[in-house]
Amino acid sequence: MNFFKEADVVVIGGGIVGTAILRELSKYKLKAVLIEKEHDVAMATTAANSAILHAGFDAPTGSHKAVMNVRGNIMFHELEEELNLDIRWTGSLVVATSDDEMFSIKELLARGKANGVQGLKILSKEEVLKMEPNLQNVKGALWAPSAGVIWPFTACVSFAECAVQNGAEVLRNVECLGFVKENEAICGVETNEGVIKTKYVINAAGIYSDVIAKLAGDDSFSISPRKGEYILFDKAVSGQLVNGIVFPTPTKKSKGILICTTTHGNVFIGPNANEQDDREDRAVTAAGMDEIIKSARKLIPDLPLNKTITEFAGLRAVSSTGDFVLGKSKINGFYNAAGIQSPGLTSAPAIAEYVVNELISEAKYTVKENFVKDLPRRKPFLRMTNEEREERIKQNKLYGRVVCRCETVTEGEIVDDIHSSVGATTVDGVKRRCRAGMGRCQGGFCEPTVALILARELGISATEVMRSKGKSPIYYPKESR
Ligand SMILES: Cc1cc2nc3c(=O)[nH]c(=O)nc-3n(C[C@H](O)[C@H](O)[C@H](O)COP(=O)(O)OP(=O)(O)OC[C@H]3O[C@@H](n4cnc5c(N)ncnc54)[C@H](O)[C@@H]3O)c2cc1C
């Protein structure tokens, strides 16, 4: 058989879980390759979620979800520095608006303590309103000081780039289509590019992780999509709604519709939780918008809906087991990091550690002495002092040209993001890395310029630059107009 590549371990899926696993694997003396079917990492659930680094009081004590959440939260406190991550450690509130809900948050407190969450306490109405003066109908709240909010796209890219810095490989536009086996053990991954020879596979394919497992012969779980929709407000309303993370008291199905200020100062409301069969439908719905507005109004009746800048939706990968599906499967050489619904973002580094430890204890690869855990520092132009800006422009004059006015993103930052080791290849890829197009006008002003910069830097014509997935050009050839 002809192989187009050889690896010791192939990771399937370039979301936060797959890229965290790739980085963990790159600490060992082995060849690790990640394949992602889309043109970029962080294209599926990792791109559309609440971005909360949960404290860990929600999941049942002893479940993978609970253990990985608490450990993942601790790990992110270390990774923030190593990977230069964008995190605001705001703490979170679960607000009760009735006596019944006060009872529920006391249950959450007890569960959180059993899960090992530090610093939890019940706050009085007055204490809550001191922190979040715009909330209405408050009786009290559960305060979790270890929670935070992260920028998930660059976290995912940073895991991938740190892994590449340590010898791993990220192959985009490469889709797993099946497996090659010998004596019932994995010996290759079939892809649209050909077969990758390997002894070990880690399945981190998100909403498709059951499909991948079945292709390998593991039918121990299934995944069903559960949609969550959001409304994102302009930064102009920051300070008028909430300062940190505010949850309502949770329901059986979800943590409820929260109100949160992101790492970059936008407030969002969402998500709802609605089951669907379609694994690709991420469209927002009028009914969904009504549902989240109605729910958020219980805590903030006067929502500035005229300051909405975008709506979006993400799909939770809900596992039939009710928990994360982690570790060695019944198929030799096949490991799962599957069914990773919330708190999967928070749990990702802990999941990576858990699954890779299992694989290493079987495969006996040894630790690399020269693993480089830190990524080079990069400070966004927006956050630089005037002196730092002047210095940067002296070094590279492209930093003197602001391309995205809403978010103050320079041409220098865009070019750096295109040429980094897991670089942007589309307009959305740029947007997710340095935020050009993320602001008030949502790219209306800068998208055409970003597309031209991509064309110049990638050596392709402007008509070949895509906005995002599939055929989504911004410029059309003259003859097609
Ligand atoms: C509405 C919502 C809110 C959430 N809020 C939070 C939160 O606040 N905090 C938190 O901790 N978690 C949260 N989560 C959960 C978190 O977002 C997910 O657990 C996490 O992003 C899952 O990452 P993943 O890498 O497993 O999946 P994904 O990000 O979906 O990545 C899987 C990747 O596999 C690729 N793939 C699939 N099939 C193939 C194939 N055949 N070949 C190659 N590649 C393939 C896909 O293209 C995709 O890129 C939320 C989720 C949702 C939907």
Side-chain angles (χ1 to χ4, degrees):
M1 185 178 289
N2 282 334
F3 300 108
F4 99 95
K5 194 160 276 294
E6 290 190 21
D8 295 305
V9 187
V10 173
V11 180
I12 301 171
I16 193 81
V17 174
T19 54
I21 288 171
L22 193 71
R23 179 177 185 267
E24 195 63 28
L25 287 168
S26 74
K27 295 177 179 170
Y28 294 87
K29 290 182 189 159
L30 56 85
K31 175 72 190 164
V33 171
L34 180 148
I35 60 170
E36 167 53 55
K37 70 181 170 72
E38 304 296 346
H39 67 273
D40 205 353
V41 295
M43 286 293 288
T45 307
T46 299
N49 53 67
S50 309
I52 313 278
L53 296 177
H54 291 290
F57 50 76
D58 281 293
T61 306
S63 64
H64 278 318
K65 281 184 186 172
V67 175
M68 299 298 144
N69 184 344
V70 175
R71 171 87 184 124
N73 181 294
I74 293 168
M75 291 174 85
F76 267 114
H77 279 79
E78 289 159 20
L79 288 162
E80 178 183 16
E81 180 64 23
E82 293 173 8
L83 299 182
N84 207 8
L85 300 177
D86 231 322
I87 302 177
R88 286 176 65 226
W89 294 109
T90 55
S92 69
L93 291 167
V94 181
V95 175
T97 57
S98 65
D99 290 339
D100 281 353
E101 289 186 353
M102 282 304 287
F103 180 76
S104 299
I105 63 169
K106 282 175 191 156
E107 281 184 337
L108 283 183
L109 171 71
R111 195 188 305 157
K113 283 184 175 165
N115 289 356
V117 183
Q118 301 295 312
L120 291 174
K121 64 176 177 178
I122 302 287
L123 301 184
S124 67
K125 175 181 172 175
E126 291 68 34
E127 288 172 312
V128 176
L129 292 180
K130 227 181 199 175
M131 286 178 170
E132 296 289 359
N134 299 316
L135 297 181
Q136 303 286 324
N137 307 317
V138 177
K139 277 247 164 196
L142 174 64
W143 167 239
S146 59
V149 58
I150 188 170
W151 183 237
F153 309 108
T154 47
C156 188
V157 173
S158 298
F159 277 124
E161 292 197 338
C162 184
V164 170
Q165 164 178 289
N166 287 290
E169 216 176 327
V170 174
L171 304 178
R172 291 176 277 179
N173 296 308
V174 176
E175 181 170 3
C176 169
L177 302 172
F179 295 95
V180 187
K181 287 191 192 167
E182 216 174 71
N183 302 326
E184 293 304 305
I186 298 285
C187 65
V189 179
E190 287 171 13
T191 78
N192 52 318
E193 295 287 342
V195 174
I196 308 176
K197 184 178 177 184
T198 189
K199 279 202 285 198
Y200 298 100
V201 166
I202 302 180
N203 170 20
I207 205 93
Y208 289 98
S209 51
D210 59 338
V211 176
I212 296 295
K214 277 196 189 96
L215 286 174
D218 173 9
D219 56 3
S220 60
F221 66 96
S222 62
I223 299 288
S224 48
R226 184 182 288 161
K227 187 185 275 182
E229 298 165 88
Y230 295 89
I231 295 176
L232 184 75
F233 297 112
D234 186 29
K235 282 180 188 168
V237 303
S238 91
Q240 293 169 32
L241 298 171
V242 296
N243 302 312
I245 306 163
V246 178
F247 294 96
T249 304
T251 63
K252 278 208 173 82
K253 234 167 68 174
S254 87
K255 297 179 189 76
I257 290 167
L258 63 131
I259 309 170
C260 173
T261 301
T262 66
T263 44
H264 295 84
N266 300 87
V267 176
F268 70 80
I269 57 172
N272 52 359
N274 291 313
E275 323 296 331
Q276 63 180 41
D277 295 328
D278 195 318
R279 297 184 195 231
E280 291 295 324
D281 175 7
R282 294 185 179 88
V284 293
T285 61
M289 296 297 101
D290 286 347
E291 188 184 351
I292 60 176
I293 291 166
K294 194 172 159 210
S295 174
R297 276 188 173 146
K298 282 186 204 150
L299 291 175
I300 303 217
D302 194 14
L303 289 174
L305 294 173
N306 61 344
K307 294 286 191 295
T308 299
I309 58 171
T310 192
E311 299 99 11
F312 62 94
L315 298 179
R316 303 170 181 88
V318 181
S319 156
S320 54
T321 64
D323 200 356
F324 297 157
V325 181
L326 298 184
K328 196 169 163 50
S329 75
K330 64 177 183 186
I331 310 300
N332 273 343
F334 189 81
Y335 290 73
N336 284 306
I340 313 296
Q341 64 174 113
S342 191
L345 188 64
T346 320
S347 305
I351 291 172
E353 182 183 65
Y354 178 94
V355 175
V356 171
N357 274 348
E358 263 203 13
L359 189 147
I360 295 297
S361 67
E362 178 188 344
K364 312 282 182 230
Y365 293 106
T366 53
V367 170
K368 213 185 258 171
E369 297 80 26
N370 56 351
F371 173 75
V372 182
K373 65 181 182 4
D374 295 316
L375 275 181
R377 300 292 96 180
R378 272 184 66 185
K379 192 170 185 182
F381 190 78
L382 177 69
R383 294 180 184 168
M384 288 181 193
T385 62
N386 279 344
E387 292 70 38
E388 287 171 329
R389 286 178 176 182
E390 265 174 39
E391 189 51 37
R392 197 71 191 94
I393 295 166
K394 258 192 230 155
Q395 291 161 355
N396 180 351
K397 66 179 184 341
L398 294 182
Y399 275 75
R401 184 179 176 221
V402 173
V403 173
C404 168
R405 293 186 189 175
C406 302
E407 296 293 310
T408 321
V409 183
T410 65
E411 183 168 0
E413 290 166 288
I414 295 171
V415 169
D416 285 350
D417 277 333
I418 295 169
H419 293 299
S420 68
S421 64
V422 185
T425 57
T426 61
V427 173
D428 266 6
V430 168
K431 175 177 171 178
R432 287 159 186 218
R433 285 168 176 79
C434 60
R435 293 184 57 83
M438 264 303 167
R440 177 174 300 163
C441 85
Q442 289 287 295
F445 176 77
C446 67
E447 250 181 24
T449 313
V450 171
L452 293 179
I453 296 170
L454 275 159
R456 183 188 75 209
E457 297 299 318
L458 298 174
I460 56 178
S461 78
T463 56
E464 290 171 284
V465 175
M466 297 298 140
R467 187 174 196 276
S468 184
K469 273 171 124 171
K471 273 241 160 292
S472 53
I474 287 170
Y475 290 96
Y476 287 83
K478 235 181 193 161
E479 57 276 15
S480 74
R481 277 183 224 149

